[in-house]
């Protein structure tokens, strides 16, 4: 399958079988995402959605097949990959001594953004966590922690944005704001890959949906994907 | 809904009658009866393993403590006679007694002392039964833990006394050990009563103040001895003599028995008032402590408390504002996490011992101080740099490559180690324990040692948490456990090997250091140089 605005390939998975050495979860999957493409990944619990994300990120070795980012094998420790791929995967990745504002500042400065003061404030305002800007991660609610992770993924420039169930613990208003923003991010050429259980997200900001329901993935349009989630 | 009813085969009326018949006490009794012989045997074998482990640890600690005393007192080695060294190590044995009691009490407060594991708490606490049935076994466990912990501390104290005095009268050993055992029960009961009144946080604070008071009392006593005040000298002499006096121990045993009885009565009155929340928190602490022991890993135990980080949240914000991202993160973790405390505490302890206790100002002690600093530095630094070298998602956010982060972490480790070594060397030099006339050699040796600490810290920090359950349960458990232990030991041995030029300078100040020793030490620290140069090494490096 190929999705996106042009024929150029941002992310490509060829005959990708995912799982663990003794247990195949899903595959083979063939995938081509062009710049600006938006792919939602859906499926039942345990169908391999997060495993697929972790394999694409290079955290897991594919059982078979290959994953390439911008025509190069994925190397998550390289500077190029870290500068161009923004990720929000788990809940617990924080520096426990840094405040909310300092987390965002570190990410912005790490990516060499000169106007980081304004950008940090904009993210705090967007996710409505300005009042908690001097809180430590341990003092945040689970929803605020999720907002901080999303803000950290969105404050930085990225060519590929990978999100794992970004809708979790967010209220409907923030979700709508987030989806609008993700659509805008895509319009600027960033490829979006998101695992979700939210039909609204599929209808708002992706143009294709990968359903991991059977052994192999099935490609659906967003409407059909949303209906599958609502069934 | 209908489908579920059909599947379970229960009609609404049957469900209702079942609910009326429900007797929580019966559930508890039935659960108790289900503890069959096999489960009881498992509990017995667990206890047996812990007692056996304690005995084996005591056997090893016996040698270790004798070795430590041999080194500290510099047997057969000339020592500096310092005017500030006014007391003997044996005079401080009384302080060790107080510290042992305080440590046992703090341990009991930290562990609860009555705690329920999370799994048990989730099942038992919501049941509408009196919690006495749940609290009684936890109280019994608390008494056993107090008894064994205090007896263990007592055995260590007696070993130290044997090492210091050369011999130990049997009545002193028997009464001393009995005193520690009874005191352990008393302290566990006192902690239980405090928990029953929900005052454990206040009690922990008081423990801290008592520790501080003890330090101040020691400092005052030291000053009085410096000015040769006669009553202070006789007080210290009497206290030291009392530690080996059977009559004093008999009296202490009687006092401890009375106090222990009183605290047992207090605990009996209050233990069923311990709130469920406290039981749950204590259970979490207990699991955490056992997990740390099972992991054989101090990283979790030495992690700073969230409340402490919260208090220091503003610390270093402006000071580090201009630093590069990785360095800023490391400095904030150091300052706000208080990760310099262990190194500073050790340096203070080393200086205090060397300056105030007779015979400790000797080259053997100095070498031992460097060796312990090597271990403390490695553990302390690895805790600071761990997220930058091992947490992939966290570092992915920063957009900085793994190599660059590793380089920053290694440079930080070198700088921190070099600073700590500078303080120790300067302090020991001022006390005359080491000769600093060959200053360039000292600088070179310090740099090589800093390289070794940096290499060991990054290797330790890169190593992931070990799942000992899986390891011990695996078919190849022995070899897997041996591999892990070998890696850990090799890491620290290599770090210690980079200290060999320092040991040479301390123990043989006038002799030229063989070139081979320099080369070997450099080789052991070379991986830090490779990391600084930006090349990637494996986690085990």
């Amino acid at each position: 399958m190929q999705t996106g605005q042009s024929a150029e390939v941002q992310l490509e998975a060829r005959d990708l079988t995912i799982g663990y050495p003794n247990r195949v979860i899903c595959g083979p999957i063939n995938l081509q995402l062009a710049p600006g493409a938006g792919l939602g990944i859906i499926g039942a619990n345990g169908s391999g959605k997060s495993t697929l994300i972790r394999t694409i990120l290079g955290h897991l070795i594919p059982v078979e097949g290959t994953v390439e980012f911008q025509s190069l094998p994925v190397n998550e420790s390289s500077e190029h990959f870290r500068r161009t791929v923004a990720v929000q995967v788990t809940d617990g990745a924080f520096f426990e001594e840094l405040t909310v504002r300092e987390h965002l500042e570190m990410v912005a400065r790490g990516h060499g953004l000169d106007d980081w003061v304004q950008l940090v404030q904009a993210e705090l305002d967007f996710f409505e966590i300005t009042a908690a800007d001097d809180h430590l991660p341990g003092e945040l609610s689970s929803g605020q922690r999720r907002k901080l992770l999303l803000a950290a993924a969105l404050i930085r420039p990225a060519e590929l944005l990978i999100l794992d169930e970004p809708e979790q613990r967010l209220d409907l208003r923030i979700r709508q704001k987030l989806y609008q923003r993700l659509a805008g991010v895509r319009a600027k050429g960033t490829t979006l890959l998101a695992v979700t259980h939210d039909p609204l997200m599929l209808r708002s900001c992706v143009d294709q949906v990968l359903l991991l329901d059977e052994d192999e993935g099935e490609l659906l349009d967003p409407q059909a994907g949303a209906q599958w989630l609502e069934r | 809904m209908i489908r579920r009813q059909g599947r379970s085969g229960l009609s609404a009326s049957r469900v209702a009658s079942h609910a009326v018949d429900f007797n929580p006490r019966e559930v508890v009794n039935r659960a108790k009866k289900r503890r069959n012989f096999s489960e009881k045997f498992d509990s017995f074998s667990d206890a047996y393993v812990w007692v056996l482990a304690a005995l084996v640890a005591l056997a090893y600690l016996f040698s270790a403590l004798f070795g430590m005393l041999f080194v500290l007192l510099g047997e057969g080695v000339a020592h500096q006679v310092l005017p500030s060294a006014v007391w003997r190590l044996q005079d401080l044995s009384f302080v060790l007694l107080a510290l042992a009691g305080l440590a046992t009490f703090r341990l009991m407060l930290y562990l609860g002392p009555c705690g329920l594991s999370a799994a048990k708490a989730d099942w038992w606490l919501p049941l509408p039964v009196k919690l006495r049935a749940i609290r009684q076994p936890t109280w019994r466990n608390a008494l056993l833990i107090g008894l064994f912990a205090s007896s263990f501390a007592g055995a260590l104290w007696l070993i130290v006394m044997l090492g210091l005095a050369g011999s130990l009268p049997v009545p002193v050993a028997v009464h001393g050990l009995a005193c520690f055992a009874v005191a352990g029960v008393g302290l566990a009961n006192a902690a239980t009563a405090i928990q029953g009144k929900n005052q454990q946080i206040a009690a922990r604070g008081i423990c801290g103040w008592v520790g501080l008071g003890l330090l101040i009392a020691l400092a005052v006593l030291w000053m009085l001895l410096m000015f040769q005040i006669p009553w202070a000298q006789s007080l210290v002499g009497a206290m030291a003599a009392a530690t080996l006096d059977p009559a004093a121990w008999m009296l202490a045993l009687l006092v401890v028995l009375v106090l222990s009885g009183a605290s047992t009565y207090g605990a009996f009155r209050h233990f069923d008032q311990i709130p469920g929340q406290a039981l749950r928190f204590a259970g979490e602490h207990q699991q955490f402590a056992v997990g740390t022991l099972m992991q054989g890993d101090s990283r979790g135990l030495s992690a700073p408390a969230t409340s402490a980080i919260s208090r220091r949240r503003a610390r270093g914000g402006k000071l580090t504002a201009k630093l590069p991202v990785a360095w800023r993160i490391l400095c904030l973790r150091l300052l706000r996490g208080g990760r310099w405390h262990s190194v500073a505490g050790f340096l203070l302890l080393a200086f205090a011992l060397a300056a105030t206790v007779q015979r400790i100002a000797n080259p053997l002690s100095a070498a031992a101080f460097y060796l312990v600093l090597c271990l403390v530095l490695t553990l302390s630094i690895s805790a600071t740099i761990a997220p930058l070298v091992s947490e992939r998602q966290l570092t992915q956010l920063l957009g900085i490559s793994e190599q660059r982060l590793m380089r920053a972490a290694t440079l930080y480790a070198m700088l921190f180690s070099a600073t700590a070594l500078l303080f120790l060397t300067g302090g020991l030099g001022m006390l005359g324990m080491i000769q600093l006339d060959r200053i360039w050699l000292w600088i070179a040796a310090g740099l090589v040692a800093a390289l070794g600490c940096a290499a060991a810290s990054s290797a330790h920090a890169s190593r992931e948490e070990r799942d000992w359950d899986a390891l011990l349960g695996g078919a190849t458990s022995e070899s897997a456990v041996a591999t892990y232990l070998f890696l850990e030991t090799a890491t620290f041995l290599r770090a210690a090997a980079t200290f060999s030029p320092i040991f040479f300078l301390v123990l043989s100040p006038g002799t030229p250091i063989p070139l081979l020793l320099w080369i070997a030490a450099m080789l052991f620290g070379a991986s830090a140089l490779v990391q600084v140069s930006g090349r990637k090494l494996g986690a085990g490096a």
Side-chain angles (χ1 to χ4, degrees), chain A residues 76-77 79 82-83 85 89-90 93-94 96-97 102 105-107 109-111 134 136 139 156, chain B residues 309-310 313 321 323 325 328-329 333 336 339 392-402 404-405:
Chain A
E76 60 97 26
S77 60
E79 182 147 357
R82 289 179 175 215
R83 286 216 168 270
V85 180
V89 182
T90 58
F94 297 102
E96 56 198 355
E97 293 85 0
E102 285 166 346
E105 179 199 325
M106 290 299 104
V107 176
R109 285 183 54 199
H111 286 272
D134 66 338
L136 297 167
E139 298 165 341
R156 43 160 298 179
Chain B
I309 298 174
S310 183
R313 74 177 67 209
L323 288 176
V325 169
R328 187 167 191 218
I329 291 171
R333 280 179 65 76
R336 294 181 186 170
R339 289 186 166 85
R392 284 184 295 193
Q393 197 199 336
L394 207 50
T395 51
Q396 162 90 31
L397 283 173
L398 300 174
I400 303 171
S401 73
E402 211 172 84
R404 280 180 58 198
L405 289 173

Side-chain angles (χ1 to χ4, degrees), chain B residues 251-381:
Chain B
L251 184 68
L253 181 58
L254 282 174
V255 172
V256 170
L257 265 174
V258 172
L259 290 176
S260 189
S263 72
T264 306
Y265 176 68
F268 180 75
R269 281 190 60 199
H270 292 290
F271 85 89
D272 59 351
Q273 293 160 13
I274 299 171
Q277 193 191 26
L279 283 174
R280 194 186 285 268
F281 279 137
E284 282 170 12
H285 283 153
Q286 286 182 8
Q287 281 194 321
F288 183 65
V290 172
T292 302
L293 280 175
M294 289 298 289
Q295 287 268 327
D297 194 332
S298 65
R299 278 180 283 190
L301 203 65
S302 58
T306 315
S307 56
I309 298 174
S310 183
R311 268 201 316 275
R312 307 181 196 121
R313 74 177 67 209
R315 201 173 284 182
K318 285 182 183 162
L319 192 71
T320 59
K322 302 285 181 197
L323 288 176
V325 169
W327 279 90
R328 187 167 191 218
I329 291 171
L330 289 168
C331 290
L332 290 180
R333 280 179 65 76
L334 178 76
L335 294 172
R336 294 181 186 170
R339 289 186 166 85
W340 54 276
H341 290 177
S342 53
V343 175
F346 169 72
L347 289 177
L348 276 178
L349 178 71
F351 294 147
L353 278 175
T356 65
V357 183
Q358 291 163 7
R359 296 183 62 181
I360 289 191
N362 69 75
L364 270 182
S365 290
F369 290 153
Y370 278 108
L371 191 63
V372 177
L373 182 67
C374 167
L375 188 71
V376 175
L377 273 176
T378 302
L379 293 175
S380 170
I381 294 170

Side-chain angles (χ1 to χ4, degrees), chain B residues 12-329:
Chain B
S13 60
R14 282 178 68 188
V15 170
S17 71
H18 189 77
V20 170
D21 291 343
F22 173 69
N23 181 354
R25 186 161 296 282
E26 261 183 37
V27 177
V28 175
N29 289 335
R30 210 164 44 232
K32 276 184 180 172
K33 280 178 190 165
R34 280 182 190 158
R35 273 174 57 91
N36 55 19
F37 175 76
S38 160
E39 283 170 331
K40 282 181 181 168
F41 185 79
D42 279 353
S43 301
F44 172 76
S45 74
D46 281 352
Y48 175 76
V49 166
W50 281 109
V51 171
L52 199 66
L55 289 176
V56 171
L58 269 181
Y60 280 110
L61 284 171
F62 187 89
S63 311
L65 286 172
F66 264 67
M68 189 186 78
L69 291 176
F70 179 85
V71 167
L72 279 180
L73 297 177
E75 297 293 347
V77 178
H79 60 268
Q80 291 290 117
V81 180
L82 300 171
S84 55
V86 291
W87 43 32
R88 300 168 303 153
L89 206 51
Q90 197 175 335
D91 296 336
L92 292 175
S93 57
F94 209 82
V95 181
L96 284 180
L97 277 179
L99 285 179
L102 204 60
T104 308
F105 186 58
R106 272 194 73 101
L107 176 80
M108 295 315 297
L109 282 174
Y110 177 75
L111 293 182
C114 293
L116 276 177
S117 69
K120 277 186 186 170
D122 286 342
W123 281 105
W124 293 117
L125 291 180
L127 286 178
V129 291
K130 280 189 179 174
L131 287 178
R132 194 175 182 88
I134 299 167
R135 289 177 179 123
Q136 209 150 18
T138 62
W139 183 32
R140 187 193 61 212
N141 290 344
L143 296 189
L144 285 174
I145 293 172
L147 177 84
F148 283 117
S150 183
S151 302
F152 190 80
L156 290 182
W157 186 84
L158 288 170
I159 291 170
V160 170
M161 290 310 291
L162 179 64
L164 286 174
S167 66
L168 199 64
V170 176
V172 169
V174 173
H175 288 136
L177 209 54
C179 204
F180 270 102
V182 176
V185 173
L187 289 171
N189 276 322
T192 306
I194 285 167
Q195 202 185 7
K197 291 180 180 173
N198 209 17
Q199 294 294 320
Q200 56 270 37
I201 294 171
R204 265 186 232 135
I206 290 169
C207 276
W209 285 110
V210 170
L212 191 65
L214 199 65
L215 277 179
I216 292 169
L218 268 177
V220 170
L221 208 53
W222 173 73
M223 279 169 63
L224 292 172
L225 289 179
M226 279 279 285
F227 290 109
Q228 296 183 332
I229 308 292
W231 65 263
Q233 286 172 327
S234 51
L235 176 71
V236 172
M239 285 197 300
T243 53
L244 290 173
D245 181 8
W249 277 107
M250 180 74 96
L251 184 68
L253 181 58
L254 282 174
V255 172
V256 170
L257 265 174
V258 172
L259 290 176
S260 189
S263 72
T264 306
Y265 176 68
F268 180 75
R269 281 190 60 199
H270 292 290
F271 85 89
D272 59 351
Q273 293 160 13
I274 299 171
Q277 193 191 26
L279 283 174
R280 194 186 285 268
F281 279 137
E284 282 170 12
H285 283 153
Q286 286 182 8
Q287 281 194 321
F288 183 65
V290 172
T292 302
L293 280 175
M294 289 298 289
Q295 287 268 327
D297 194 332
S298 65
R299 278 180 283 190
L301 203 65
S302 58
T306 315
S307 56
I309 298 174
S310 183
R311 268 201 316 275
R312 307 181 196 121
R313 74 177 67 209
R315 201 173 284 182
K318 285 182 183 162
L319 192 71
T320 59
K322 302 285 181 197
L323 288 176
V325 169
W327 279 90
R328 187 167 191 218
I329 291 171

